[in-house]
Amino acid sequence: ELFVKDDATLRYSTIENWSRNMYNLNTKRAIVDEGGAIEWVSGSFGSHVGYLYPMSILSGKKSSCTFTGITFAGAGQNLDTGCKVDTSAAIETKSISKGGGISTFRSSVVATKKAEGSAASVSCQSLMLDDMSRSDTIPTMDIRCKNVDIGHEATIGRIGDDKVFYLMSRGISEEEARGMIVNGFADPVSKELPLEYAVEMNNLIKLEMEGAIG
């Protein structure tokens, strides 16, 4: 549990890499007072089943939350992740799935009766690396007042053959080309992490692409 007091800012960064035979049932919560800000930066790798929903309760006026996260679901993995927020927030998540992995994004945004003038934006981008994998987006918006600005968008796609062909025409192998595209997809999350965390996340993505984790 994280407590952000008046006008304070807290950034919580985490890269989690669990054994493939584990159930990761993860609970995180922040309570933010007036003028405070909580920033979540999250990378979730490994585990057989993952269930991760950081929750932010924005209890004070002009309090805010940002959530930036990425998950990688490989063969035999079912990762169910997202974020829960009350009132003003910006949520941006990315998920990658391969080898029949299942990635599910859930968001819960609640604007209470006292949340007049609040705003929240939710963005989810999913990248599937084969025909066996699956990606689902399940947003929930609970709006209990009128003067709010709430939005949600989701995109799901695959690595385009034209992009791989272009990189290969420049002398890059197919494996390296796909790895470069995935790293580019994850780059917005990597930029938000401390250097040592970013290096660790990029190494985990590389190992996932090679099928070396587990």
Side-chain angles (χ1 to χ4, degrees):
E1 284 189 314
L2 308 175
F3 298 90
V4 184
K5 296 302 182 180
D6 292 355
D7 299 317
T9 299
L10 174 62
R11 170 170 288 198
Y12 186 95
S13 301
T14 176
I15 298 295
E16 300 177 1
N17 180 28
W18 301 92
S19 171
R20 286 290 178 90
N21 62 353
M22 288 188 64
Y23 285 75
N24 177 26
L25 309 178
N26 207 313
T27 301
K28 298 183 176 80
R29 181 172 66 179
I31 300 177
V32 187
D33 292 340
E34 185 171 347
I38 176 68
E39 302 173 357
W40 302 92
V41 185
S42 174
S44 182
F45 297 83
S47 77
H48 174 56
V49 174
Y51 193 85
L52 173 62
Y53 292 102
M55 179 178 183
S56 300
I57 300 174
L58 306 179
S59 60
K61 293 181 179 180
K62 296 184 178 179
S63 58
S64 65
C65 162
T66 60
F67 177 86
T68 305
I70 187 167
T71 61
F72 198 125
Q77 289 182 273
N78 187 337
L79 303 185
D80 200 317
T81 63
C83 185
K84 298 179 181 180
V85 179
D86 289 349
T87 66
S88 179
I91 303 169
E92 181 178 353
T93 68
K94 292 176 178 288
S95 67
I96 304 168
S97 53
K98 62 169 288 191
I102 301 172
S103 177
T104 303
F105 167 78
R106 300 176 193 265
S107 65
S108 175
V109 176
V110 180
T112 66
K113 293 180 179 179
K114 297 181 180 180
E116 293 286 340
S118 64
S121 63
V122 181
S123 173
C124 177
Q125 296 178 309
S126 302
L127 182 64
M128 293 184 293
L129 304 185
D130 51 48
D131 295 333
M132 300 181 293
S133 300
R134 175 175 167 177
S135 181
D136 296 318
T137 301
I138 306 174
T140 300
M141 306 289 184
D142 186 354
I143 314 302
R144 305 178 188 181
C145 55
K146 294 182 179 180
N147 185 28
V148 294
D149 184 2
I150 310 292
H152 173 267
E153 61 176 295
T155 58
I156 298 176
R158 297 176 180 172
I159 294 178
D161 292 336
D162 56 335
K163 295 181 176 64
V164 175
F165 176 79
Y166 173 80
L167 292 171
M168 291 178 66
S169 70
R170 297 298 186 268
I172 299 172
S173 69
E174 181 177 355
E175 182 178 342
E176 289 176 324
R178 292 184 179 276
M180 290 175 66
I181 294 171
V182 171
N183 282 329
F185 179 76
D187 190 58
V189 180
S190 180
K191 286 181 177 179
E192 296 296 326
L193 290 166
L195 179 60
E196 62 272 21
Y197 282 53
V199 171
E200 179 69 15
M201 190 188 82
N202 290 334
N203 287 336
L204 288 172
I205 290 176
K206 182 179 179 181
L207 289 172
E208 288 278 8
M209 292 295 293
E210 295 172 352
I213 290 183

